[in-house]
């Protein structure tokens, strides 16, 4: 069995803005424009970049919440493009998500038991008693309690709601989880707790993560490899430590220079990305070039 669980090849997602009287598009936004990467089993692949760079769009394409414009996403050797909803159903169980907002992603009219059991019912997992026992066990694993089963989302803090979302994602025993900025809406004091919990759950259940985030220091902590996105394109991919210690692409250097440093002796000059990384939307994306084992960079965006 290949150790590559998710393989993304030349992924593109373009959004049409308006059409003329002939039905032809009057404008196209290339949100993702020729992205290549893979994720190994048991690995955490971090995806970073500024707002609007296409990170979340990539995640939604992997979940098949968006039908992508071109390219292919392969999961465990099976291409996902073009599959009907019926054919996708088995993959819906194996691929789960944790979203950014832990309140809007939970139905306020359902209690915790109903929220977490809903995907289990859809996939025909166990009877009511078995589902309740599994949910109670999952709540313990994410730091909640059995007596939370009959409470509603508004009765929890933001961090607790995100723990409920994590338990819901785990309920159907997935292999791969897309974590779409799962800590950005949480207090700083809670973020580290959630990230450490995700690491523990990964080891216990053998999970694979795509971890999308703005917090560069947190991404370094949890990720094995990191991809840097800019303007809908992947400009650099490397192992976590190597990327932070030896960034090659000018945009990566600019992004890392934005990290807030608390030690005045270590404060470096802020690099502004203006000018040297301007990407024209009509320019053909170039493939990443390997500059050292496992370190890939695209330099054609100057």
């Amino acid at each position: 069995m290949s150790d590559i669980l998710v393989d993304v090849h030349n992924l593109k997602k373009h959004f049409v803005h308006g059409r003329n009287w002939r039905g032809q598009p009057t404008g196209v936004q290339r949100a993702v424009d020729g992205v290549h990467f893979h994720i190994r089993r048991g690995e955490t692949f971090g995806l970073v970049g500024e707002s609007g760079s296409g990170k979340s769009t990539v995640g939604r394409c992997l979940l098949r919440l968006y039908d992508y414009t071109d390219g292919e996403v392969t999961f465990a050797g099976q291409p996902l493009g073009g599959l009907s909803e019926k054919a996708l159903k088995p993959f819906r169980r194996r691929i789960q998500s944790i979203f950014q907002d832990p309140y809007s992603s939970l139905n306020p009219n359902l209690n915790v038991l109903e929220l977490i059991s809903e995907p289990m019912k859809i996939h025909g997992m166990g009877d009511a008693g078995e589902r309740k026992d599994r949910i109670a066990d999952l709540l313990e694993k994410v730091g909640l309690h059995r007596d939370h089963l009959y409470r509603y989302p508004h009765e929890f803090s933001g961090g607790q709601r995100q723990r409920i979302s994590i338990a819901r994602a785990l309920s159907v025993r997935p292999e791969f989880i897309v974590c779409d900025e799962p800590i950005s809406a949480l207090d700083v004091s809670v973020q580290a707790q959630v990230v450490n919990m995700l690491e523990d759950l990964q080891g216990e259940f053998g999970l694979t993560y795509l971890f999308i985030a703005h917090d560069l220091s947190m991404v370094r902590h949890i990720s094995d490899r990191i991809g840097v996105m800019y303007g809908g394109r992947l400009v650099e991919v490397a192992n976590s430590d190597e990327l932070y210690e030896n960034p090659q692409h000018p945009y990566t250097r600019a992004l890392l220079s934005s990290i807030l440093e608390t030690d005045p002796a270590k404060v470096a000059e802020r690099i502004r990305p203006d000018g040297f990384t301007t990407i024209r939307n009509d320019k053909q994306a170039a493939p990443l070039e390997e500059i050292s084992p496992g370190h890939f960079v695209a330099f054609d965006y100057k």
Side-chain angles (χ1 to χ4, degrees), residues 16-61:
V16 175
H17 297 299
R19 295 181 182 274
N20 60 21
W21 63 275
R22 294 178 177 175
Q24 299 169 331
T26 56
V28 176
Q29 174 62 42
R30 293 175 170 85
V32 178
D33 199 27
V35 169
H36 304 260
F37 65 90
H38 65 268
I39 308 175
R40 302 183 183 93
R41 295 177 186 273
E43 180 183 41
T44 298
F45 186 88
L47 202 56
V48 300
E50 62 191 57
S51 295
S53 62
K55 307 184 303 297
S56 293
T57 303
V58 169
R60 286 174 168 82
C61 288

Side-chain angles (χ1 to χ4, degrees), residues 7 52 150 245 268:
D7 194 8
Y150 299 101
E245 293 169 5

Side-chain angles (χ1 to χ4, degrees), residues 9-292:
H9 178 72
N10 197 32
L11 181 66
K12 298 180 181 180
K13 177 57 182 176
H14 300 168
F15 294 96
V16 175
H17 297 299
R19 295 181 182 274
N20 60 21
W21 63 275
R22 294 178 177 175
Q24 299 169 331
T26 56
V28 176
Q29 174 62 42
R30 293 175 170 85
V32 178
D33 199 27
V35 169
H36 304 260
F37 65 90
H38 65 268
I39 308 175
R40 302 183 183 93
R41 295 177 186 273
E43 180 183 41
T44 298
F45 186 88
L47 202 56
V48 300
E50 62 191 57
S51 295
S53 62
K55 307 184 303 297
S56 293
T57 303
V58 169
R60 286 174 168 82
C61 288
L62 266 60
L63 291 164
R64 273 295 307 271
L65 297 179
Y66 290 157
D67 289 325
Y68 31 90
T69 305
D70 197 5
E72 188 56 85
V73 175
T74 301
F75 180 79
Q78 172 67 52
L80 300 183
L83 294 182
S84 66
E85 279 301 316
K86 182 177 181 180
L88 274 173
K89 187 175 180 180
F91 294 98
R92 299 289 190 204
R93 186 193 67 78
R94 300 170 68 185
I95 305 173
Q96 288 291 302
S97 58
I98 303 168
F99 293 106
Q100 178 176 358
D101 188 345
Y103 190 74
S104 63
S105 62
L106 300 176
N107 188 332
N109 298 314
L110 302 180
N111 62 35
V112 171
L113 178 61
E114 294 167 331
L115 283 166
I116 301 179
S117 64
E118 189 173 31
M120 300 174 71
K121 290 179 183 178
I122 291 172
H123 293 285
M125 299 180 66
D127 57 30
E130 292 171 337
R131 289 195 293 268
K132 183 177 179 180
D133 289 342
R134 174 162 174 77
I135 291 168
D137 181 59
L138 285 172
L139 289 181
E140 295 287 344
K141 290 184 183 299
V142 299
L144 298 175
H145 305 286
R146 180 182 287 267
D147 59 4
H148 290 145
L149 281 171
Y150 299 101
R151 297 187 186 180
Y152 289 82
H154 71 271
E155 299 180 76
F156 296 94
S157 67
Q160 289 174 320
R161 291 173 194 150
Q162 196 63 293
R163 291 171 189 267
I164 294 169
S165 297
I166 293 170
R168 181 177 60 180
L170 294 173
S171 66
V172 292
R173 298 184 175 90
E175 300 171 46
F176 176 56
I177 299 180
V178 175
C179 305
D180 187 4
E181 302 199 37
I183 60 173
S184 62
L186 306 180
D187 292 340
V188 175
S189 60
V190 180
Q191 290 180 359
Q193 297 174 21
V194 172
V195 167
N196 289 334
M197 182 183 64
L198 287 171
E199 287 186 308
D200 293 340
L201 293 169
Q202 182 177 34
E204 181 174 353
F205 295 105
L207 299 169
T208 303
Y209 292 144
L210 172 65
F211 193 87
I212 301 168
H214 281 97
D215 189 330
L216 299 175
S217 58
M218 202 64 75
V219 171
R220 180 178 186 178
H221 173 74
I222 194 173
S223 302
D224 299 295
R225 290 186 302 129
I226 297 174
V228 180
M229 287 201 68
Y230 180 73
R233 297 170 186 169
L234 204 59
V235 296
E236 187 163 0
V237 179
N239 291 335
S240 178
D241 289 339
E242 185 179 0
L243 184 84
Y244 280 76
E245 293 169 5
N246 187 30
Q248 297 295 311
H249 195 278
Y251 176 72
T252 306
R253 298 192 192 110
L255 196 64
L256 294 178
S257 76
S258 69
I259 298 176
L260 180 64
E261 180 57 66
T262 56
D263 184 353
K266 296 181 180 179
V267 174
E269 182 181 355
R270 179 69 59 85
I271 302 173
R272 295 184 62 84
D274 298 342
F276 60 72
T277 52
T278 301
I279 296 179
R280 290 172 51 197
N281 232 0
D282 60 348
K283 186 177 181 181
Q284 182 68 32
L288 295 173
E289 297 181 3
E290 187 170 16
I291 63 168
S292 63

